[in-house]
Structure formats: structure tokens, C-alpha cells
Amino acid sequence: MKITLISDIHGNLPALEAVLRHVRNQAADQMILNLGDLTGYGPHPEQVVGWSKNERVINILGNYDKKVISKAHRNTGWQKINNPDKRAMFAWTYQALSKKSIKYLKTLPETRQLEIAGKNILMTHGSPASVSEHIGTDTPDNRLADLAEMTDAEIILCGHSHQAFKRKVDNTLFINPGSVGRLDDGDPRASYAVLDIQDKEVSVNFYRVPYDIMSAVDAMRMTGLPEIFAQSLRQGLNYDDVKSNINSPSKPHAVEPNGTLTLLTDFGLQDHFVGVMKGVITNIAPQTNIIDISHQVRPQNIRLGGHLLAQALPYFPAGSVNVAVVDPGVGTRRRALAALIGEHYFVAPDNGLLTPILERAHKTGGVIEIVSLNQSKYWLTDPSISFHGRDIFAPVAAHLVNGMPLDRLGDRIDDPITLALPQPSLTDQGWLGEVIMVDIFGNLSTNLMGDLLENDIGEMTVNIEDKCIHGLTATFGNAQEGDLIATIDSSGYLSIAIVNGDASKTLGADIGTPVQVIFLSKVA
């Protein structure tokens, strides 16, 4: 028999709904044991209490629930809480509950003892001794043994500590499924467990379930309660940890991720690599809006990857998370980075890929906060040496989408690798530049910006290989098919093209090919 174990929903309806979908897929929805704390810290206490009346659900009372419905606690207990935010949460939760729900909560016991499939099971919120006792992974064995002596149960189920675990002391199995709706371990996904009893053999499986965190965050904000409660949901951290980050003098500039994530790689589209990265991202942050910039960067061409990223960036809103993986040094000692640069987040290898973005931020005075990704708990387990896009960059980016602060992902650095990008040089006759990109049509984009050229577009020539182009053409439609033209492309760079043709193949030109602009007035 499969039995679903949940606890500490804390008024988080989106998390609960995601767990219930997952439970149905496990064929474990015939019996659900809820270990308390339906309310508190979440925006939907009334709806969650309403759900708990389902005939398949067996409930007990949690310590937060007990305080909310206690008249004595309302009259004296709340006022003794020094923290005004938590006082406000208590009062709001009570007001958000209907009289019918409060009456129902008052009927719930603090413990229940059940016999299921031949096993004697005790449901508690804290422990057999107290609804408020924390039992965690670090609770001494002798304390668990003492608690086991208080009951004849073979299995003791508990919540409250928000720590998912199973521990056996002597002949008693302790199980905590973790928290559905208020995580505090830095992973905001909902937690629950399935207890499987087959022929008196007991097994336990623990699950972390992604859900639309932003829907819970937005609902939390609609309550008008302090923002710290919304951030706690988003970051998967408890109140005190979020507060300490807010008060930290080294905290990053406050830019809230907006749910959009971009991907740029040299992986191509033939293999499974890009799809797997998206799977990792949506398994941590399912609400993510993933947009592909390009996966056709020339293999290992870091400069080209950086150029494409820089050209795309202005068209994405502030708070976007941008994952760029052109990584010939994967598996070596090169660092992996996450950064807030300007108003955007980045996750990339430390190999110069972010050079154009960094240069722009230095010129404009934009924010630059960079960390080296050394907190492996935010990676996939057992990362490979050859696919950090899947194992490190994708999960870290998903945690950023969920609002994880940079400082929790790694240590701050101020020495990222930067490349010496080719710069145009001024000559006696004009400018000398080079091709920095060849697009899908074979057009040759250079590092010469259009504002370097004279206003009189007829008084110049552009020389490439052994060809000389007179003046600039405003658009392809102003020339004939097959004409070799120079034009200013959509990104503002001087570009060389053949109308309805392939300039790269025809001229034999590629990235690095020199391009000379000569102003005829200077030649004369």
C-alpha cells in the first residue's frame, strides 16, 4: 500500500497542487497523511484548509495552526513576539480564515495513531512529546529512543522541522517528509514522501516537486504583508536567512529576476544537449520562459559567442537570466561564473565569453557583481567533467530565476577572464577593421561601427580581399541581385554582402579577414 506523507503546507496552494499532481502520477493518492501546519507564511490558508477536508486526507494539528486558532494566544502570545513582521503574519492568517475553517481546525487532534497494512503508525507534528519539538537529521539517537519509548508505534511520522529524512532507532522508524510550502534549505521546490508497505516490508521515497513559485510570490504580495515573506517563498529560505541576506553589506544590487531565461551555446541542434538543459531548468523553475538566442555559435569560438550575446542582450527586459555556454575548457580548472552585470544575470564559464558585456558595463558605469560557482548543492549531483551546461550552468540559472541571491551560489570575485577583442584602428586614409561575424546568409559583419564613417556615403570605398566597394548602400533593395555592397547592418556595424548571394563564399572571407575603409577626401 502506498501512503502519501505531507506536512507544513503553510498556506501555499500552488505548491500543494503541484504535489498532488505528482502524487497522482505515483498512484499514491488513495491515502494522504497530513502532519500539520496547514496555515501560516503562505497566501492561501483558507483554500488549503478547505482542501484538507477531502475524505482521502487524514489530518493533525500543527503548532502554527494551534497558535492561530488559540484565543489565549491571540490575546497575549502575538503581542509577545518581538518581530513585527511575524506579528503581522499571525494576525493576517487568522483574519484570512473563515469561522468555519477555524472551527474545523479546532477539531483536529495533535496526534493520531493508526494501523495501516499491519503497521502501527503514529502521526505527530513535532514529536510524541510536544507539537513544537524539532526532530531533525541532527537529533541524537538517544533522544529518538526516548521518544520511541512514549508509544508502541513502529513508525513515527513528524513534520515541523521542514527536514526530509528517515531514521531508524532500535525498532522504530522516524520519517519526516519535509515541507510542501515553506522550504528553508535553499531549494524552493516542494517536498513530500511516499511510504510504501508491501507484505509488511516498509520503504520510503522522498520527492522534490517544482511548482510555479511566482504565482505563490505574486499572491503573497497581494496580501500586503512584508515583502520578506514573498522572498522566502522565492528563495526557499526561512525568514531569518532571507533577513540576513537583505541586511548583508555585500548583498548584490537588487534586480529581481523576471522569469525569462535565454540560452546561447555552440551545441547545435542535432543532439540532445540543448533539450536536456531545458529539462533541468524546468525541473527546478517550471515557470521559466526559455528563449533561444542561438545554438549555432561556431564550436569553441568564444569571441563570436560573446559578440552574439552582446548583440541580443538589449532586447531582453531587466532581470533576465542569460546562460551562455561556449566552453572549450570544460573539465579543466577554469571557473564557472554567475553574475549580475547591469540589469541582467549571467551564467557562463570564466573564459572571456562575457567580455563584451563587461566592457559595456564599465563604460556605462553599470553594476558588476560576479561569483565563482563553488556551492555544489545548487548543481546536479555527481556533475560530469564534460557537460557543465547540464550539470552546473542550467541548475544554477534556474535557481537564479527562482530568486536565489548571487552570494549563496558562490564566493565573490573581481578578476574574471577577459579577452583582448579586435579593435578598429585609425589610419591616414580612414579605418582598418576586420570581420567579426559571418551570418547564415554569408554576410560579413565587421567591428567598424557606422558612426565612425563620414555622413557622405558616396565619398568612401570599402576594400576587402581584392574587391573595392564604392560607398554605402542603404538597403539590399537599392541594389541588383549579385551586387557586392557595403551597408550598415541592423546592429549598427559595417557589413559586406552580396545581394541574394553569399559574400563569405564568393570572396573567400571569414572571421578575421581585414577590411579597410578609405575616405576619398583624405586620399586627394
Side-chain angles (χ1 to χ4, degrees), residues 190-260:
S191 176
Y192 84 99
V194 172
L195 175 64
D196 195 354
I197 305 174
Q198 301 291 341
D199 298 326
K200 295 190 177 181
E201 293 295 320
V202 176
S203 63
V204 185
N205 292 305
F206 296 92
Y207 300 95
R208 296 301 288 264
V209 180
Y211 73 97
D212 187 350
I213 294 171
M214 279 311 301
S215 65
V217 169
D218 290 341
M220 193 74 253
R221 288 171 172 162
M222 290 293 290
T223 67
L225 287 165
E227 171 67 14
I228 192 167
F229 295 116
Q231 290 303 318
S232 182
L233 292 176
R234 187 163 199 172
Q235 298 176 28
L237 297 170
N238 64 33
Y239 178 96
D240 292 336
D241 285 340
V242 175
K243 193 77 170 179
S244 67
N245 180 70
I246 291 173
N247 293 334
S248 170
S250 62
K251 75 178 183 68
H253 181 67
V255 174
E256 184 173 87
N258 63 27
T260 294

Side-chain angles (χ1 to χ4, degrees), residues 175-192:
I175 303 172
N176 188 320
S179 172
V180 169
R182 194 174 76 86
L183 288 304
D184 57 13
D185 61 355
D187 182 346
R189 293 177 297 173
S191 176
Y192 84 99

Side-chain angles (χ1 to χ4, degrees), residues 23-251:
V23 165
R24 284 192 289 272
N25 291 335
Q26 305 300 317
D29 59 342
Q30 297 304 304
M31 178 180 287
I32 300 174
L33 304 185
N34 168 43
L35 304 174
D37 272 0
L38 293 162
T39 69
Y41 296 105
H44 305 106
E46 176 69 10
Q47 295 92 324
V48 171
V49 171
W51 163 83
S52 72
K53 300 174 186 178
N54 187 298
E55 62 182 9
R56 295 182 179 183
V57 183
I58 299 175
N59 299 287
I60 60 173
L61 194 68
N63 71 305
Y64 201 101
D65 300 330
K66 183 177 180 179
K67 292 176 182 178
V68 167
I69 64 175
S70 167
K71 182 177 181 180
H73 190 78
R74 289 199 306 278
N75 291 337
T76 60
W78 297 353
Q79 285 71 31
K80 293 179 181 179
I81 299 173
N82 293 327
N83 188 310
D85 294 341
K86 293 184 178 180
R87 285 202 306 271
M89 175 58 78
F90 264 118
W92 180 87
T93 301
Y94 177 75
Q95 292 167 1
L97 291 170
S98 66
K99 292 181 179 179
K100 187 176 181 180
S101 290
I102 292 172
K103 183 178 180 180
Y104 169 72
L105 288 173
K106 288 180 178 180
T107 69
L108 297 180
E110 293 183 17
T111 63
R112 286 184 189 268
Q113 194 149 343
L114 311 168
E115 185 174 332
I116 303 174
K119 295 293 181 180
N120 196 342
I121 299 174
L122 179 68
M123 297 174 61
T124 69
H125 181 66
S127 79
S130 169
V131 70
S132 298
E133 181 174 2
H134 280 257
I135 298 178
T137 55
D138 56 352
T139 301
D141 284 350
N142 59 0
R143 177 54 183 165
L144 296 183
D146 290 342
L147 294 171
E149 287 292 324
M150 298 179 183
T151 174
D152 59 355
E154 302 165 79
I155 301 172
I156 297 177
L157 307 177
C158 53
H160 189 44
S161 68
H162 297 201
Q163 297 180 29
F165 66 84
K166 65 175 180 178
R167 294 179 60 185
K168 193 166 188 179
V169 176
D170 297 327
N171 294 318
T172 304
L173 179 63
F174 289 80
I175 303 172
N176 188 320
S179 172
V180 169
R182 194 174 76 86
L183 288 304
D184 57 13
D185 61 355
D187 182 346
R189 293 177 297 173
S191 176
Y192 84 99
V194 172
L195 175 64
D196 195 354
I197 305 174
Q198 301 291 341
D199 298 326
K200 295 190 177 181
E201 293 295 320
V202 176
S203 63
V204 185
N205 292 305
F206 296 92
Y207 300 95
R208 296 301 288 264
V209 180
Y211 73 97
D212 187 350
I213 294 171
M214 279 311 301
S215 65
V217 169
D218 290 341
M220 193 74 253
R221 288 171 172 162
M222 290 293 290
T223 67
L225 287 165
E227 171 67 14
I228 192 167
F229 295 116
Q231 290 303 318
S232 182
L233 292 176
R234 187 163 199 172
Q235 298 176 28
L237 297 170
N238 64 33
Y239 178 96
D240 292 336
D241 285 340
V242 175
K243 193 77 170 179
S244 67
N245 180 70
I246 291 173
N247 293 334
S248 170
S250 62
K251 75 178 183 68

